[in-house]
Amino acid sequence: MHKKLLLLLLFCVCCAGSVLQAQDTTKRKTIDITSAFKPVLREAVKINFNAAPPVPDSSHPRLTYNIPSQYMFLSYQPGEMKPVALQRDTLTPWENYNYIKLGVGNVAFPYARLGFSFGDGKSTFVNIFANQLSSSGSVANQKSSLTDVKVDGTFKTANNLEWNGNLGFKNDQYYLYGFPDTVKYTSDQLRQTFQTFQGGISLRNTVPTEFGLLYHPNLKFSVFSDNHTPQGMETNSVLNLPLEKMIGKEFAFDLGFTADLTHYNLPVKTTAQNNNIYLVTPAFLVKTTNLFLQASVIPSWDRQVFHLLPNFVADISTSDQRFTFQLGWIGYYDKGSYQRFESINPWLAQPDSLLNTRVQERYAGFKGSLDNHFSYAAKVGFLQYDNMALFVNDSINGGKDFQIRYASSMEALQLHGEVSYLQGEQFNVTASLNINQYTDIKGEPKAWGLLPVEFKTALKWEAFKDFWAKLDLYTFEGAQYRAPDGVAFKGPNGADLNAGVEFRILRQLNLWFQMNNIFNDKYERWHQYPVYGFNVLGGIVFSFGGK
């Protein structure tokens, strides 16, 4: 049995060997492997980009502006009530513009004003202005005539120099009417005519020199005369030579010289009077973003008498310039001249002497703005006057004219405040208040003719397209006056409200209308001289011109 199985196995092997020998032996043997493996790529590492703004630059450029500080020297300048036309401010670039304004009213006839401009608007500017106003009131001899002509020109050179010159002529005529009806005068005795020829020339560099110098020499002169017999005549000239040396960007040194000369021919005397002032004005300046400091003393000679004037000013501002605290101790002169006194009170008699008023002022205040439109300022000051000019009625001629009297010294506590709101050319309103308390008066019993309280406000509004409205209010508390018998009394208060409109009817033609003294308050700014009552004035404005 076992042998049979062995023979069978051997037979199978032999058969298999024969089969293998029959296959192609040139083919390479391979092995096929079957599996469930699935290849997967390895997860790549991602680069993360985080979006972030650049780091802000915390450095701030230091910008220094050379802006001269404006200080209010509130000298004695009474308000002058004249019917005038509406003035429109403009912020557009300068261009040649010409106009003629004509009007007539129940007390004013005629009213004329004109302006002509020439030049290229870049390096040459020439302007001609002229005014004429004649008026007559209901009171006998209450009439006046005012004429004013002026030519002003500015020329800029290629090397940063600017020349300016002007010439002018004024002829003011007033009639004295403040006297009782029982006193009789002829028309020639009551007429006062004042003529002024004036001019000036100046030069300044608009860019500092290579040595940091800024200069602005200027000369003004005038010849003033009246129609009295004998005639009063006065010449005035002011030479000013300022020089500023920049020391870096925050410091400067000023050095100036001023000669203010007055030569007056006194009709009542055989010799003339020279009323001259000389000043040397050195100053050390600090100009930073938050501080403006000016420190110096001013040597001065008033009619050859030496006086040392203080000149210390400090403005301390916040970084955004929204608020500034002000301190100051300053000294200056109010010039004693026939021409200046006539501009204050046109009913004065010829002065028999001229004295300059020396003023020292100590003040503290602040100014600022709440936004881009609203600004404010307030100041309290203590003033000392020497040779203060006062006006009193003449006790001989019925008080029709005023004599100049001088208080050898006096003091005043002064409060000043102002606010304004400006909205471009569309709307702006301003208001100011002055309060003066005069004390320690020597040489005169009262502060004759000085107003203790003044309030002014003005509004301009472009209500509609090509339609503008204007409103002005002026009020004051009466001053102290002296009656012809020498008795002192306080004058009445006054209020003057004016309103006007202007609107365009053609491209180059406007109509305007104004009402003055709406309250019909015939107040007396100067004793015995009531102003016009309610009056109206209107006319046309013809404008023409271009670049």
Side-chain angles (χ1 to χ4, degrees):
M1 184 66 179
H2 291 290
K3 290 181 179 180
K4 291 180 178 180
L5 293 172
L6 182 62
L7 291 173
L8 180 60
L9 178 62
L10 181 62
F11 176 78
C12 294
V13 171
C14 291
C15 291
S18 62
V19 173
L20 292 171
Q21 289 176 357
Q23 294 178 351
D24 186 4
T25 60
T26 63
K27 183 179 180 180
R28 190 176 180 179
K29 296 181 179 180
T30 62
I31 300 175
D32 295 331
I33 301 174
T34 302
S35 174
F37 174 75
K38 294 180 180 181
V40 179
L41 293 176
R42 181 180 180 183
E43 185 176 358
V45 177
K46 297 179 180 180
I47 301 175
N48 295 326
F49 295 94
N50 296 323
V55 179
D57 185 4
S58 59
S59 63
H60 297 282
R62 192 176 189 88
L63 304 177
T64 302
Y65 299 92
N66 184 16
I67 302 176
S69 298
Q70 303 294 326
Y71 305 104
M72 291 174 288
F73 299 151
L74 302 173
S75 58
Y76 171 52
Q77 293 290 342
E80 187 176 6
M81 308 308 298
K82 295 180 180 179
V84 296
L86 175 68
Q87 300 296 312
R88 287 193 288 132
D89 295 334
T90 177
L91 299 177
T92 58
W94 187 90
E95 62 181 16
N96 289 356
Y97 191 80
N98 309 298
Y99 69 91
I100 298 176
K101 182 176 294 186
L102 301 174
V104 66
N106 63 321
V107 298
F109 49 86
Y111 171 81
R113 182 173 184 176
L114 59 87
F116 298 102
S117 299
F118 310 94
D120 57 13
K122 297 179 180 180
S123 60
T124 305
F125 309 83
V126 179
N127 300 289
I128 301 175
F129 301 101
N131 295 279
Q132 168 62 42
L133 173 63
S134 298
S135 58
S136 179
S138 58
V139 179
N141 298 303
Q142 189 184 27
K143 53 186 177 180
S144 62
S145 177
L146 311 176
T147 304
D148 185 9
V149 179
K150 185 176 182 180
V151 180
D152 190 291
T154 300
F155 305 94
K156 296 181 179 180
T157 65
N159 53 352
N160 299 319
L161 294 179
E162 182 179 280
W163 290 89
N164 177 266
N166 63 83
L167 289 172
F169 169 75
K170 290 180 62 177
N171 186 85
D172 296 343
Q173 183 173 272
Y174 301 89
Y175 281 81
L176 302 171
Y177 61 92
F179 55 90
D181 295 337
T182 56
V183 184
K184 302 300 180 180
Y185 296 98
T186 64
S187 178
D188 291 340
Q189 292 175 318
L190 298 178
R191 185 175 60 250
Q192 295 214 126
T193 302
F194 304 101
Q195 289 188 347
T196 306
F197 295 89
Q198 58 189 3
I201 187 172
S202 68
L203 169 68
R204 74 181 185 97
N205 58 329
T206 57
V207 178
T209 67
E210 60 178 325
F211 303 106
L213 297 178
L214 290 170
Y215 50 85
H216 188 195
N218 55 87
L219 172 66
K220 296 185 294 184
F221 60 89
S222 65
V223 178
F224 178 83
S225 62
D226 61 24
N227 66 324
H228 294 292
T229 303
Q231 185 183 43
M233 180 172 291
E234 178 183 85
T235 57
N236 293 282
S237 57
V238 180
L239 174 64
N240 190 21
L241 302 174
L243 179 66
E244 181 173 305
K245 166 69 175 178
M246 301 297 298
I247 307 173
K249 296 182 178 180
E250 297 182 348
F251 302 95
F253 181 77
D254 285 359
L255 181 62
F257 172 76
T258 301
D260 192 342
L261 312 178
T262 297
H263 181 81
Y264 176 47
N265 294 320
L266 282 77
V268 297
K269 299 181 180 179
T270 57
T271 59
Q273 177 182 347
N274 294 320
N275 195 31
N276 302 332
I277 302 174
Y278 300 94
L279 304 101
V280 179
T281 54
F284 180 73
L285 305 178
V286 178
K287 305 175 183 180
T288 68
T289 305
N290 306 104
L291 175 66
F292 174 83
L293 179 66
Q294 177 176 281
S296 73
V297 291
I298 301 176
S300 67
W301 291 263
D302 176 13
R303 301 177 65 178
Q304 300 182 349
V305 178
F306 175 78
H307 300 282
L308 193 63
L309 303 179
N311 188 25
F312 300 95
V313 173
D315 286 1
I316 306 169
S317 304
T318 57
S319 298
D320 58 2
Q321 304 294 315
R322 292 285 189 180
F323 181 83
T324 300
F325 181 70
Q326 299 177 300
L327 291 171
W329 180 22
I330 57 177
Y332 53 93
Y333 288 94
D334 288 334
K335 190 61 183 291
S337 69
Y338 191 7
Q339 181 178 349
R340 175 174 170 267
F341 292 150
E342 182 272 332
S343 67
I344 297 174
N345 185 342
W347 292 283
L348 82 165
Q350 288 179 336
D352 56 7
S353 65
L354 298 176
L355 296 177
N356 301 309
T357 301
R358 189 172 72 255
V359 186
Q360 284 198 33
E361 179 180 357
R362 299 174 179 88
Y363 68 87
F366 57 86
K367 64 179 181 179
S369 60
L370 298 182
D371 53 29
N372 294 330
H373 306 287
F374 182 81
S375 61
Y376 58 88
K379 185 181 75 169
V380 55
F382 177 74
L383 289 82
Q384 294 177 298
Y385 300 93
D386 290 288
N387 298 325
M388 183 63 179
L390 308 173
F391 297 88
V392 297
N393 292 85
D394 188 1
S395 59
I396 300 176
N397 300 318
K400 68 178 178 64
D401 48 22
F402 286 81
Q403 305 289 333
I404 298 176
R405 305 288 292 269
Y406 295 95
S408 58
S409 66
M410 62 182 293
E411 298 176 352
L413 177 64
Q414 186 178 85
L415 302 176
H416 173 80
E418 60 184 54
V419 294
S420 65
Y421 182 85
L422 305 177
Q423 186 69 41
E425 299 180 10
Q426 287 71 40
F427 181 84
N428 66 78
V429 59
T430 61
S432 64
L433 174 67
N434 289 322
I435 301 176
N436 295 282
Q437 182 180 0
Y438 301 102
T439 59
D440 198 19
I441 305 171
K442 297 180 180 179
E444 291 293 329
K446 299 290 183 180
W448 310 118
L450 301 184
L451 297 177
V453 179
E454 285 184 284
F455 175 76
K456 300 178 182 179
T457 184
L459 180 147
K460 297 178 181 178
W461 180 30
E462 187 176 0
F464 311 100
K465 179 177 174 57
D466 298 329
F467 186 93
W468 302 269
K470 175 183 177 182
L471 185 71
D472 299 308
L473 175 64
Y474 173 62
T475 63
F476 63 88
E477 181 183 344
Q480 293 286 338
Y481 292 109
R482 191 188 70 173
D485 57 3
V487 177
F489 69 98
K490 184 178 177 61
N493 302 337
D496 200 317
L497 177 65
N498 307 319
V501 295
E502 180 176 341
F503 54 93
R504 180 167 290 127
I505 58 174
L506 295 174
R507 184 177 182 85
Q508 295 178 307
L509 188 66
N510 289 11
L511 285 181
W512 62 276
F513 176 76
Q514 184 163 321
M515 297 182 295
N516 302 310
N517 200 351
I518 296 176
F519 297 146
N520 196 28
D521 183 8
K522 297 183 180 181
Y523 58 87
E524 295 182 359
R525 171 58 188 91
W526 298 104
H527 179 49
Q528 299 186 183
Y529 281 86
V531 300
Y532 300 133
F534 174 78
N535 63 89
V536 296
L537 187 64
I540 62 172
V541 181
F542 178 71
S543 59
F544 54 95
K547 280 191 175 182

